[in-house]
Amino acid sequence: MAKTLFDKVWDAHTVAEVEGGMSVVYIDQHLIHEVTSPQAFDGLRARSIPVFRPERTLATADHNVPTKDQHLPIKEELSRFQVQKLKDNCDEFGVTLYGLGHPKQGIVHVIGPELGITKPGMTIVCGDSHTSTHGAFGSIAFGIGTSQVEQVLATQCLILQKPKQMRITIEGELSPGVLSKDIVLFIISKLTAAGGTGFFIEYAGSAIRSLSMEARMTICNMSIEMGARGGLIAPDQTTFDYVEGREQAPQGDDWTKSLEHWKTLYTDEGASFDEEHRWDASEIEPMVTYGTNPGMGMGVTESIPEGGGSASFEKALSYMGLSEGRTLENHPVQYVFIGSCTNSRIEDLRLVADFVKGKKIASNISAMVVPGSQQVSKQAQEEGLDKILSAAGFDFREAGCSACLGMNEDKIPAGAYCVSTSNRNFEGRQGPGARTILASPLMAAATAIEGKIVDVRKYM
Amino acid sequence: MDKLNQLTSSCVPLPIEDVDTDQIIPARFLKATTRLGFGENLFRDWRYEKDGSPKKDFVLNNPTYTGSILVAGKNFGCGSSREHAAWAIKDYGFRVVVSSFFADIFKGNAMNNGILPITVTQEFLNDIFLAIESDPHCQLSVSLQEQMLEITSTGKRTSFQIDPYKKMCLLNGYDDIDYLLSVQDKIEAFESTRA
């Protein structure tokens, strides 16, 4: 029978069926961070059980960490305690930790791929909804709650209902200035913030296949923003080239054997999906969001739609200080944030540095670039990107989740507009009262230079 | 985990759509390392002014509305995977959340903490909101065993879906981890076939 990519990976990890239709699914790789793991370790202690397969869990500290002076103790007491707790738990249970100060520390969804931990055909979970990022390698990867973190620590398995499957096909060529972030913001604006709920999404089509791994990760990363637990892309030569030679990639005979297997990971001709969508890449323009969920997005030349008097829509616009029927072009902005697990990889930093080289950010703008990991930061410095960015007026920070989620020191003040390359424009996400406009790294860079939202295509 | 079967209670209406977990519990309150005390900060930024004084127009600050059932607009619990959202709802005193649509991760987290998420049609959800509007003390009656939800004042009833395994867990107070630990031999056998 014809199988989808998802079916193939799912079937290879099914341990047993549970009465009533759920399955026990084996998890190849578990990633943990300081925020959603302490209560799970407490659960193990309460049951007096060990971590079942400690070699399959990797920990890092990312959500709470400051992005300045990381060599100093964390100033905020609760953050410092939570990061310390992670270290204590990892020591006690024998879990490898790339903690603050470690050369491999970084945002959990950035370090997995860059270390070669994320590979095709795996099952990967983490107590973080953006775990969907790792689906870019043709893996089943999704976010879980803390009770499930405990289950994976205790048994390396989860009890899951097999999700419905959706395929989204994007064919054709992207216009200059349009990035993978625009593709995914476009898709979410069409399907809404709930349109993918209950589904796993396979992204396909020539426009997707032409993307780099970094760009594919950006798309899979935001699958959760339409409610889908995860998204995946069939591995191809681009994937294999990215993985080959990385620290934890298979070597020698193992590599040959793995490659042989990975080449079977695609959706068979004739396999069926519960839902299919198809768009042409040429329809997509640089995107911006105008509301308080990622589904409230539009092309930069479009106008905010009429909400039909819905209370939730009006609440969102009132929070954003925007009104129906207007565009966001030329809208003044005070902050620009380039970072997060969506857009903080070396390719993102290169794009931004290339764009701002020789330019200066506008005087009304405070702009920050936060690399996704120590390794990204190191590479950026080796390539001189930090100098270019600093010369243009950007604050080049140390690695972490930073202003994506208002949990560490990096926050956007109440009422201020921030064009952000992150993934969520929820009320208060970047700090109480902060107004987030999601966009691509190029759109964010152009906003920083002009001090207002512009269509980056005019520079192309 | 706490058992749940029958519950009859007045309810708290929150007719807002796409309520995300950053509203349920903002990230800055995720620094605790236990499961307790999150109820205090449930809907923090909708519930309190910056100075900590209650916002009068928010439903949790209106003494008219009480009870252990929260009734919310569609796509409740979207966004982050933080189980703290479920802990906050439970800690505040809710045992049942009714909506026309739940985000996946929240739904799973809720059930893993003894909270029953009940999905009803948009029409039935509107009926509940109307019933609360005409009588703020109107009660909902839930039977998990029967998979039935009733608006007691109008007698309108609806059945609801729940996975049989998750139903058994809620009725008996079982955690997934109990089940998984009981099949550890199968897990080890699975591992040995892949080596």
Side-chain angles (χ1 to χ4, degrees), chain A residues 372-409:
Chain A
S373 71
Q374 303 294 344
Q375 299 218 43
V376 169
S377 177
K378 187 165 163 263
Q379 196 172 343
Q381 290 173 53
E382 281 166 10
E383 296 178 18
L385 306 183
D386 59 325
K387 293 208 170 61
I388 296 171
L389 291 164
S390 300
F394 283 85
D395 192 0
F396 187 82
R397 298 291 189 99
E398 294 168 85
C401 293
S402 187
C404 173
L405 87 165
M407 188 160 185
N408 46 70
E409 293 163 9

mmCIF file of all heavy atoms in Angstrom, chain A residues 372-409:
data_model
loop_
_atom_site.group_PDB
_atom_site.id
_atom_site.type_symbol
_atom_site.label_atom_id
_atom_site.label_comp_id
_atom_site.label_asym_id
_atom_site.label_seq_id
_atom_site.Cartn_x
_atom_site.Cartn_y
_atom_site.Cartn_z
ATOM 1 N N GLY A 372 21.312 32.053 17.251
ATOM 2 C CA GLY A 372 20.587 30.940 17.860
ATOM 3 C C GLY A 372 21.438 30.048 18.727
ATOM 4 O O GLY A 372 20.912 29.292 19.546
ATOM 5 N N SER A 373 22.748 30.093 18.535
ATOM 6 C CA SER A 373 23.613 29.219 19.324
ATOM 7 C C SER A 373 25.010 29.814 19.407
ATOM 8 O O SER A 373 25.353 30.730 18.655
ATOM 9 C CB SER A 373 23.693 27.833 18.677
ATOM 10 O OG SER A 373 24.451 27.917 17.484
ATOM 11 N N GLN A 374 25.793 29.245 20.316
ATOM 12 C CA GLN A 374 27.206 29.674 20.425
ATOM 13 C C GLN A 374 27.940 29.415 19.113
ATOM 14 O O GLN A 374 28.800 30.200 18.711
ATOM 15 C CB GLN A 374 27.901 28.918 21.560
ATOM 16 C CG GLN A 374 27.250 29.054 22.919
ATOM 17 C CD GLN A 374 27.297 30.464 23.476
ATOM 18 O OE1 GLN A 374 28.050 31.309 23.010
ATOM 19 N NE2 GLN A 374 26.469 30.726 24.469
ATOM 20 N N GLN A 375 27.578 28.298 18.473
ATOM 21 C CA GLN A 375 28.276 27.961 17.222
ATOM 22 C C GLN A 375 27.909 28.936 16.110
ATOM 23 O O GLN A 375 28.759 29.311 15.303
ATOM 24 C CB GLN A 375 27.914 26.535 16.808
ATOM 25 C CG GLN A 375 28.341 25.530 17.861
ATOM 26 C CD GLN A 375 28.874 24.250 17.249
ATOM 27 O OE1 GLN A 375 29.624 24.283 16.289
ATOM 28 N NE2 GLN A 375 28.477 23.133 17.791
ATOM 29 N N VAL A 376 26.618 29.335 16.052
ATOM 30 C CA VAL A 376 26.207 30.327 15.063
ATOM 31 C C VAL A 376 26.958 31.638 15.339
ATOM 32 O O VAL A 376 27.478 32.292 14.436
ATOM 33 C CB VAL A 376 24.677 30.567 15.097
ATOM 34 C CG1 VAL A 376 24.291 31.774 14.255
ATOM 35 C CG2 VAL A 376 23.921 29.330 14.604
ATOM 36 N N SER A 377 27.027 31.990 16.620
ATOM 37 C CA SER A 377 27.694 33.219 17.018
ATOM 38 C C SER A 377 29.168 33.197 16.601
ATOM 39 O O SER A 377 29.689 34.165 16.037
ATOM 40 C CB SER A 377 27.574 33.366 18.532
ATOM 41 O OG SER A 377 28.263 34.496 18.957
ATOM 42 N N LYS A 378 29.806 32.062 16.847
ATOM 43 C CA LYS A 378 31.231 31.911 16.529
ATOM 44 C C LYS A 378 31.447 32.040 15.024
ATOM 45 O O LYS A 378 32.348 32.746 14.561
ATOM 46 C CB LYS A 378 31.693 30.542 17.040
ATOM 47 C CG LYS A 378 33.167 30.287 16.950
ATOM 48 C CD LYS A 378 33.551 29.069 17.805
ATOM 49 C CE LYS A 378 34.913 28.538 17.407
ATOM 50 N NZ LYS A 378 34.859 27.409 16.464
ATOM 51 N N GLN A 379 30.578 31.334 14.293
ATOM 52 C CA GLN A 379 30.710 31.374 12.834
ATOM 53 C C GLN A 379 30.479 32.790 12.301
ATOM 54 O O GLN A 379 31.194 33.258 11.414
ATOM 55 C CB GLN A 379 29.718 30.401 12.194
ATOM 56 C CG GLN A 379 30.066 30.100 10.740
ATOM 57 C CD GLN A 379 29.186 28.989 10.169
ATOM 58 O OE1 GLN A 379 28.556 28.244 10.910
ATOM 59 N NE2 GLN A 379 29.157 28.885 8.850
ATOM 60 N N ALA A 380 29.481 33.466 12.860
ATOM 61 C CA ALA A 380 29.188 34.836 12.435
ATOM 62 C C ALA A 380 30.396 35.731 12.676
ATOM 63 O O ALA A 380 30.743 36.574 11.839
ATOM 64 C CB ALA A 380 27.970 35.364 13.189
ATOM 65 N N GLN A 381 31.063 35.509 13.800
ATOM 66 C CA GLN A 381 32.244 36.328 14.098
ATOM 67 C C GLN A 381 33.397 35.988 13.165
ATOM 68 O O GLN A 381 34.124 36.870 12.718
ATOM 69 C CB GLN A 381 32.637 36.144 15.558
ATOM 70 C CG GLN A 381 31.610 36.787 16.490
ATOM 71 C CD GLN A 381 31.864 36.502 17.956
ATOM 72 O OE1 GLN A 381 32.962 36.731 18.444
ATOM 73 N NE2 GLN A 381 30.858 36.014 18.643
ATOM 74 N N GLU A 382 33.548 34.704 12.860
ATOM 75 C CA GLU A 382 34.612 34.301 11.925
ATOM 76 C C GLU A 382 34.404 34.924 10.549
ATOM 77 O O GLU A 382 35.353 35.255 9.853
ATOM 78 C CB GLU A 382 34.646 32.771 11.803
ATOM 79 C CG GLU A 382 35.353 32.111 12.987
ATOM 80 C CD GLU A 382 35.111 30.593 13.068
ATOM 81 O OE1 GLU A 382 34.553 30.018 12.099
ATOM 82 O OE2 GLU A 382 35.478 30.014 14.093
ATOM 83 N N GLU A 383 33.124 35.066 10.178
ATOM 84 C CA GLU A 383 32.814 35.650 8.873
ATOM 85 C C GLU A 383 32.748 37.179 8.918
ATOM 86 O O GLU A 383 32.482 37.822 7.900
ATOM 87 C CB GLU A 383 31.475 35.084 8.352
ATOM 88 C CG GLU A 383 31.522 33.595 8.087
ATOM 89 C CD GLU A 383 30.180 33.026 7.614
ATOM 90 O OE1 GLU A 383 29.316 33.796 7.167
ATOM 91 O OE2 GLU A 383 30.016 31.786 7.693
ATOM 92 N N GLY A 384 32.927 37.738 10.113
ATOM 93 C CA GLY A 384 32.903 39.204 10.254
ATOM 94 C C GLY A 384 31.516 39.810 10.242
ATOM 95 O O GLY A 384 31.347 41.023 10.122
ATOM 96 N N LEU A 385 30.490 38.942 10.371
ATOM 97 C CA LEU A 385 29.112 39.454 10.327
ATOM 98 C C LEU A 385 28.810 40.352 11.523
ATOM 99 O O LEU A 385 28.086 41.338 11.413
ATOM 100 C CB LEU A 385 28.101 38.297 10.295
ATOM 101 C CG LEU A 385 28.274 37.241 9.199
ATOM 102 C CD1 LEU A 385 27.151 36.213 9.281
ATOM 103 C CD2 LEU A 385 28.300 37.895 7.817
ATOM 104 N N ASP A 386 29.378 39.989 12.674
ATOM 105 C CA ASP A 386 29.127 40.782 13.889
ATOM 106 C C ASP A 386 29.582 42.225 13.691
ATOM 107 O O ASP A 386 28.921 43.162 14.112
ATOM 108 C CB ASP A 386 29.824 40.134 15.091
ATOM 109 C CG ASP A 386 31.329 40.012 14.914
ATOM 110 O OD1 ASP A 386 31.772 39.768 13.765
ATOM 111 O OD2 ASP A 386 32.079 40.167 15.899
ATOM 112 N N LYS A 387 30.729 42.391 13.006
ATOM 113 C CA LYS A 387 31.266 43.744 12.790
ATOM 114 C C LYS A 387 30.370 44.538 11.852
ATOM 115 O O LYS A 387 30.105 45.722 12.072
ATOM 116 C CB LYS A 387 32.687 43.653 12.231
ATOM 117 C CG LYS A 387 33.659 43.068 13.236
ATOM 118 C CD LYS A 387 35.078 43.557 13.019
ATOM 119 C CE LYS A 387 35.969 43.154 14.177
ATOM 120 N NZ LYS A 387 36.045 41.646 14.328
ATOM 121 N N ILE A 388 29.906 43.862 10.795
ATOM 122 C CA ILE A 388 29.012 44.538 9.840
ATOM 123 C C ILE A 388 27.736 44.985 10.562
ATOM 124 O O ILE A 388 27.282 46.122 10.411
ATOM 125 C CB ILE A 388 28.646 43.588 8.668
ATOM 126 C CG1 ILE A 388 29.901 43.248 7.865
ATOM 127 C CG2 ILE A 388 27.575 44.205 7.772
ATOM 128 C CD1 ILE A 388 29.698 42.153 6.823
ATOM 129 N N LEU A 389 27.182 44.071 11.345
ATOM 130 C CA LEU A 389 25.916 44.359 12.038
ATOM 131 C C LEU A 389 26.108 45.478 13.066
ATOM 132 O O LEU A 389 25.297 46.407 13.157
ATOM 133 C CB LEU A 389 25.387 43.085 12.715
ATOM 134 C CG LEU A 389 24.908 42.006 11.725
ATOM 135 C CD1 LEU A 389 24.763 40.647 12.410
ATOM 136 C CD2 LEU A 389 23.571 42.412 11.096
ATOM 137 N N SER A 390 27.194 45.405 13.809
ATOM 138 C CA SER A 390 27.458 46.442 14.816
ATOM 139 C C SER A 390 27.671 47.791 14.142
ATOM 140 O O SER A 390 27.167 48.819 14.617
ATOM 141 C CB SER A 390 28.680 46.090 15.655
ATOM 142 O OG SER A 390 28.455 44.872 16.314
ATOM 143 N N ALA A 391 28.407 47.795 13.043
ATOM 144 C CA ALA A 391 28.670 49.052 12.327
ATOM 145 C C ALA A 391 27.361 49.673 11.838
ATOM 146 O O ALA A 391 27.230 50.901 11.757
ATOM 147 C CB ALA A 391 29.613 48.808 11.149
ATOM 148 N N ALA A 392 26.384 48.818 11.539
ATOM 149 C CA ALA A 392 25.094 49.337 11.068
ATOM 150 C C ALA A 392 24.207 49.782 12.233
ATOM 151 O O ALA A 392 23.141 50.358 12.015
ATOM 152 C CB ALA A 392 24.374 48.275 10.247
ATOM 153 N N GLY A 393 24.659 49.503 13.467
ATOM 154 C CA GLY A 393 23.891 49.966 14.622
ATOM 155 C C GLY A 393 23.101 48.880 15.333
ATOM 156 O O GLY A 393 22.354 49.146 16.275
ATOM 157 N N PHE A 394 23.269 47.626 14.888
ATOM 158 C CA PHE A 394 22.587 46.515 15.571
ATOM 159 C C PHE A 394 23.358 46.130 16.829
ATOM 160 O O PHE A 394 24.577 46.211 16.864
ATOM 161 C CB PHE A 394 22.524 45.270 14.669
ATOM 162 C CG PHE A 394 21.480 45.347 13.587
ATOM 163 C CD1 PHE A 394 21.767 45.963 12.375
ATOM 164 C CD2 PHE A 394 20.221 44.806 13.782
ATOM 165 C CE1 PHE A 394 20.817 46.032 11.367
ATOM 166 C CE2 PHE A 394 19.264 44.877 12.787
ATOM 167 C CZ PHE A 394 19.561 45.488 11.568
ATOM 168 N N ASP A 395 22.628 45.711 17.837
ATOM 169 C CA ASP A 395 23.231 45.171 19.034
ATOM 170 C C ASP A 395 23.414 43.664 18.789
ATOM 171 O O ASP A 395 22.427 42.943 18.669
ATOM 172 C CB ASP A 395 22.280 45.429 20.213
ATOM 173 C CG ASP A 395 22.935 45.169 21.547
ATOM 174 O OD1 ASP A 395 24.117 44.794 21.557
ATOM 175 O OD2 ASP A 395 22.247 45.342 22.583
ATOM 176 N N PHE A 396 24.634 43.197 18.668
ATOM 177 C CA PHE A 396 24.912 41.781 18.403
ATOM 178 C C PHE A 396 25.077 41.070 19.742
ATOM 179 O O PHE A 396 26.029 41.324 20.475
ATOM 180 C CB PHE A 396 26.172 41.636 17.537
ATOM 181 C CG PHE A 396 26.439 40.223 17.090
ATOM 182 C CD1 PHE A 396 25.793 39.694 15.989
ATOM 183 C CD2 PHE A 396 27.355 39.427 17.774
ATOM 184 C CE1 PHE A 396 26.036 38.382 15.575
ATOM 185 C CE2 PHE A 396 27.604 38.115 17.366
ATOM 186 C CZ PHE A 396 26.939 37.597 16.267
ATOM 187 N N ARG A 397 24.137 40.183 20.067
ATOM 188 C CA ARG A 397 24.080 39.587 21.398
ATOM 189 C C ARG A 397 24.641 38.163 21.443
ATOM 190 O O ARG A 397 25.028 37.608 20.431
ATOM 191 C CB ARG A 397 22.616 39.545 21.856
ATOM 192 C CG ARG A 397 21.957 40.888 21.998
ATOM 193 C CD ARG A 397 22.550 41.647 23.179
ATOM 194 N NE ARG A 397 21.800 42.856 23.467
ATOM 195 C CZ ARG A 397 20.868 42.941 24.436
ATOM 196 N NH1 ARG A 397 20.566 41.898 25.165
ATOM 197 N NH2 ARG A 397 20.240 44.083 24.655
ATOM 198 N N GLU A 398 24.584 37.597 22.638
ATOM 199 C CA GLU A 398 24.972 36.192 22.817
ATOM 200 C C GLU A 398 23.738 35.293 22.668
ATOM 201 O O GLU A 398 22.613 35.780 22.694
ATOM 202 C CB GLU A 398 25.629 36.026 24.197
ATOM 203 C CG GLU A 398 26.963 36.774 24.290
ATOM 204 C CD GLU A 398 27.490 36.882 25.710
ATOM 205 O OE1 GLU A 398 28.141 35.935 26.156
ATOM 206 O OE2 GLU A 398 27.263 37.909 26.372
ATOM 207 N N ALA A 399 23.958 33.988 22.525
ATOM 208 C CA ALA A 399 22.888 33.070 22.101
ATOM 209 C C ALA A 399 21.811 32.826 23.148
ATOM 210 O O ALA A 399 22.093 32.711 24.335
ATOM 211 C CB ALA A 399 23.511 31.736 21.701
ATOM 212 N N GLY A 400 20.568 32.738 22.676
ATOM 213 C CA GLY A 400 19.442 32.395 23.545
ATOM 214 C C GLY A 400 18.123 32.703 22.857
ATOM 215 O O GLY A 400 18.089 33.194 21.735
ATOM 216 N N CYS A 401 17.014 32.395 23.572
ATOM 217 C CA CYS A 401 15.680 32.648 23.015
ATOM 218 C C CYS A 401 15.365 34.143 22.978
ATOM 219 O O CYS A 401 14.547 34.599 22.175
ATOM 220 C CB CYS A 401 14.613 31.937 23.840
ATOM 221 S SG CYS A 401 14.717 30.138 23.741
ATOM 222 N N SER A 402 15.969 34.887 23.900
ATOM 223 C CA SER A 402 15.906 36.339 23.891
ATOM 224 C C SER A 402 14.483 36.894 23.843
ATOM 225 O O SER A 402 13.590 36.388 24.532
ATOM 226 C CB SER A 402 16.757 36.874 22.737
ATOM 227 O OG SER A 402 16.868 38.281 22.780
ATOM 228 N N ALA A 403 14.274 37.911 23.026
ATOM 229 C CA ALA A 403 13.004 38.668 23.024
ATOM 230 C C ALA A 403 11.865 37.951 22.318
ATOM 231 O O ALA A 403 10.839 38.551 22.037
ATOM 232 C CB ALA A 403 13.229 40.031 22.392
ATOM 233 N N CYS A 404 12.015 36.664 22.041
ATOM 234 C CA CYS A 404 10.906 35.938 21.437
ATOM 235 C C CYS A 404 9.775 35.761 22.429
ATOM 236 O O CYS A 404 8.614 35.737 22.053
ATOM 237 C CB CYS A 404 11.357 34.580 20.919
ATOM 238 S SG CYS A 404 10.000 33.563 20.338
ATOM 239 N N LEU A 405 10.098 35.626 23.722
ATOM 240 C CA LEU A 405 9.026 35.209 24.632
ATOM 241 C C LEU A 405 8.953 35.911 25.975
ATOM 242 O O LEU A 405 8.188 35.500 26.840
ATOM 243 C CB LEU A 405 9.063 33.686 24.849
ATOM 244 C CG LEU A 405 9.951 33.100 25.960
ATOM 245 C CD1 LEU A 405 9.560 31.684 26.234
ATOM 246 C CD2 LEU A 405 11.399 33.207 25.624
ATOM 247 N N GLY A 406 9.695 37.006 26.143
ATOM 248 C CA GLY A 406 9.524 37.782 27.370
ATOM 249 C C GLY A 406 9.767 37.016 28.649
ATOM 250 O O GLY A 406 9.102 37.241 29.655
ATOM 251 N N MET A 407 10.717 36.099 28.620
ATOM 252 C CA MET A 407 10.984 35.316 29.819
ATOM 253 C C MET A 407 12.337 35.670 30.433
ATOM 254 O O MET A 407 12.603 35.379 31.593
ATOM 255 C CB MET A 407 10.959 33.834 29.450
ATOM 256 C CG MET A 407 11.038 32.953 30.654
ATOM 257 S SD MET A 407 10.477 31.311 30.367
ATOM 258 C CE MET A 407 10.621 30.728 32.063
ATOM 259 N N ASN A 408 13.198 36.281 29.617
ATOM 260 C CA ASN A 408 14.523 36.666 30.097
ATOM 261 C C ASN A 408 14.567 38.199 30.145
ATOM 262 O O ASN A 408 13.530 38.852 30.119
ATOM 263 C CB ASN A 408 15.583 36.080 29.153
ATOM 264 C CG ASN A 408 15.205 36.317 27.702
ATOM 265 O OD1 ASN A 408 15.232 37.445 27.230
ATOM 266 N ND2 ASN A 408 14.792 35.256 27.004
ATOM 267 N N GLU A 409 15.767 38.746 30.157
ATOM 268 C CA GLU A 409 15.868 40.216 30.302
ATOM 269 C C GLU A 409 15.449 40.976 29.047
ATOM 270 O O GLU A 409 15.156 42.173 29.107
ATOM 271 C CB GLU A 409 17.315 40.584 30.655
ATOM 272 C CG GLU A 409 17.729 40.097 32.028
ATOM 273 C CD GLU A 409 19.244 40.086 32.206
ATOM 274 O OE1 GLU A 409 19.963 40.609 31.329
ATOM 275 O OE2 GLU A 409 19.701 39.544 33.224
#
